[in-house]
Amino acid sequence: MKKFKVGIIGAGNISGAYLGGAKKWPILEVVAVSDMLLERAQARAKEFNVPKACTVDELLKDESIDIVINLTIPKAHAEVAIRAIEAGKSVITEKPLAVDREEGLKVIAAAAKKKGVRVGCAPDTFFGAGHQTARKLIDDGAIGRPVAATAFMMGRGHEGWHPDPEFYYKPGGGPMFDMGPYYVTDLMQILGRVKRVSGATSIAIPERTIGSAPKKGQKIVVETPDHLAGNLEFESGCIATLIMSFAVYAPEHHGYPITIFGTEGSLQVPDPNGFDGGVRLFKPGQKGYEDVPLTHTKGYGRSVGVADLAYGLASGRDHRASGERAMHVLDAMQGFIDASRTGVSHVMKTPYTRPAMLPVGLPEGELDM
């Protein structure tokens, strides 16, 4: 099998997870790391034995690189993705695809014009055993017809621990654009295409104080909603209620922040910011939820979506963490803000087809049987 050469743009906080995760996949070879701060790229390259640290321009000019992993800050996602596409490289971007619907559509359009180039986007946590097991149970009719779902991500935000937290409170950030992709993606891979979005939003804490070094004590003016609530109405008829907040103190949701309620039972889905959490099923006659054995391969981490994109390039099949999926997620997330502003539900127009479920019993390091 061909080994695809990978370059990473952005050597910040999340890059270590991708660099470590890529080592698990024989189909991937990370050959370069770049960053606006060259010394940061050099440090990551040394830490993970990557042969080259370079500028962004140098990486994009490297004709040996097949796939770019775009780990820049959200406001740069679209620009960097388009540059990679125009350089003839497939690109997979950290979430979200872009900071708004218009920029996301530009990325999709750029890829459509470039033959042989693919677009992907995080999150890829839905590849995890817990989420694939939940998908299989729904498809197998374990809870009958899904009627309702809840998804809650509530906390105080990132300024207390993150070294560069400002972008979390700018357009393209906030709890919906930062954490929402995990929840909306998982709901979509289980329940299908979203038809309509309603929502209400607020800036509950207009100013934040950074509590972590090196910017401790600096103030952040919040420019995007830090609390959002609303509904996703799926074409299947299921209605999901979401709350996404960086403005509250909330206890843990016992590891099950997503619950899907059906006509014949209910299903608790693990944290979509992880891969291998447990799944619990309630059926009539039981005293409560019971653990369900996981049906799929455990142990995936960040970069599984990159590997899947490479498999798609090699075989011609669709990749699962696709640009189409990310664009539908972005459309829905912006729909909460649009609906809050206008008082009118947002009707979804972007296409979406549920990605193929992973095969059961995959060998380690492989994604196709």
Side-chain angles (χ1 to χ4, degrees):
M1 177 179 291
K2 175 182 175 179
K3 187 181 285 285
F4 287 81
K5 294 186 182 297
V6 176
I8 290 180
I9 298 177
N13 215 43
I14 194 63
S15 62
Y18 278 88
L19 284 157
K23 292 181 179 294
K24 297 181 179 181
W25 299 101
I27 199 170
L28 302 178
E29 180 184 3
V30 180
V31 297
V33 181
S34 67
D35 194 276
M36 289 190 301
L37 301 174
L38 184 57
E39 60 270 23
R40 189 157 63 176
Q42 291 169 336
R44 280 299 197 204
K46 182 179 180 180
E47 180 182 358
F48 289 94
N49 297 314
V50 177
K52 182 167 74 172
C54 59
T55 68
V56 173
D57 287 343
E58 288 170 338
L59 187 148
L60 292 175
K61 289 176 182 176
D62 187 337
E63 294 183 358
S64 73
I65 292 174
D66 304 297
I67 300 170
V68 167
I69 303 176
N70 176 13
L71 304 181
T72 56
I73 62 174
K75 71 177 182 180
H77 282 179
E79 177 188 353
V80 171
I82 290 170
R83 287 186 65 193
I85 292 164
E86 290 175 345
K89 305 180 189 307
S90 293
V91 59
I92 189 160
T93 295
E94 241 308 307
K95 47 77 187 169
L97 180 66
V99 297
D100 59 39
R101 197 178 289 119
E102 291 70 27
E103 285 201 352
L105 290 170
K106 288 178 183 177
V107 175
I108 301 301
K113 294 177 183 176
K114 202 78 173 178
K115 186 176 180 181
V117 168
R118 296 195 181 199
V119 172
C121 188
D124 54 10
T125 48
F126 71 93
F127 285 76
H131 308 290
Q132 291 292 306
T133 297
R135 160 77 178 269
K136 188 175 190 307
L137 287 165
I138 293 291
D139 287 0
D140 290 348
I143 65 168
R145 182 176 67 84
V147 174
T150 57
F152 301 133
M153 193 297 300
M154 292 185 285
R156 195 65 175 182
H158 297 336
E159 69 273 16
W161 62 270
H162 198 283
D164 293 296
E166 293 95 332
F167 71 87
Y168 288 109
Y169 301 101
K170 308 298 181 187
M176 182 59 77
F177 279 70
D178 177 44
M179 297 300 294
Y182 298 107
Y183 291 76
V184 178
T185 293
D186 211 23
L187 288 169
M188 281 169 40
Q189 73 99 12
I190 294 171
L191 299 171
R193 185 178 183 274
V194 177
K195 180 171 70 173
R196 186 165 53 188
V197 181
S198 62
T201 71
S202 69
I203 296 179
I205 305 174
E207 185 178 84
R208 306 278 179 142
T209 302
I210 299 176
S212 55
K215 299 180 179 180
K216 187 173 183 178
Q218 292 183 25
K219 303 292 185 181
I220 303 171
V221 176
V222 178
E223 299 176 20
T224 195
D226 60 4
H227 183 86
L228 305 94
N231 293 322
L232 298 174
E233 181 182 348
F234 291 84
E235 286 186 340
S236 64
C238 186
I239 299 171
T241 299
L242 277 70
I243 301 176
M244 300 279 135
S245 186
F246 280 168
V248 301
Y249 291 104
E252 294 293 326
H253 298 287
H254 308 293
Y256 296 92
I258 296 176
T259 303
I260 301 173
F261 305 90
T263 56
E264 306 296 332
S266 298
L267 191 68
Q268 290 183 323
V269 182
D271 185 349
N273 193 20
F275 288 85
D276 293 335
V279 178
R280 300 202 301 176
L281 177 66
F282 173 79
K283 297 285 284 184
Q286 294 177 191
K287 292 183 178 179
Y289 285 94
E290 296 181 358
D291 292 336
V292 177
L294 298 181
T295 57
H296 283 70
T297 303
K298 296 178 67 175
Y300 296 148
R302 299 299 199 276
S303 285
V304 60
V306 186
D308 189 66
L309 187 149
Y311 269 90
L313 287 169
S315 68
R317 69 158 171 81
D318 291 338
H319 60 288
R320 294 172 174 88
S322 68
E324 179 196 72
R325 188 268 303 161
M327 187 64 230
H328 196 59
V329 171
L330 178 59
D331 190 11
M333 295 191 304
Q334 189 172 337
F336 281 86
I337 297 171
D338 292 346
S340 177
R341 185 184 68 251
T342 65
V344 178
S345 294
H346 170 67
V347 177
M348 300 280 287
K349 294 185 172 62
T350 48
Y352 174 73
T353 302
R354 282 203 306 169
M357 188 166 57
L358 287 171
V360 175
L362 282 170
E364 186 175 348
E366 296 184 20
L367 286 170
D368 288 346
M369 296 294 279

